[in-house]
Amino acid sequence: QTCALPILNSAGQVLAGLDIIRTFCRYYGATAPVFIDNAESISQTDFALDSQVIRLQVVEGAALELKTA
């Protein structure tokens, strides 16, 4: 049996990974910061995670910027 992640687009791969993280966190009763690389590929902003979410996103022509929620 093979993993289905390679057939998903970038956003689908990230969201599938977040679903796996959410499942492990709930099963083990743990939380940890979650880094989302290539966040520009996802329009969704609510990930239903109890963890801190750090989005890494490329914006062409923009200066480096840090935002806090």
Side-chain angles (χ1 to χ4, degrees):
Q1 203 172 62
T2 61
C3 178
L5 284 180
I7 63 170
L8 298 174
N9 64 17
S10 296
Q13 290 179 15
V14 171
L15 293 173
L18 291 174
D19 191 40
I20 292 168
I21 290 168
R22 184 185 315 90
T23 301
F24 277 120
C25 286
R26 288 181 181 165
Y27 181 81
Y28 289 108
T31 59
V34 177
F35 288 80
I36 302 174
D37 198 5
N38 298 321
E40 66 273 8
S41 68
I42 308 169
S43 59
Q44 182 178 341
T45 57
D46 180 20
F47 302 110
L49 292 170
D50 294 330
S51 303
Q52 176 185 22
V53 176
I54 301 162
R55 294 172 49 110
L56 305 174
Q57 181 172 332
V58 173
V59 179
E60 280 195 44
L64 179 62
E65 183 179 330
L66 300 174
K67 293 182 180 180
T68 59

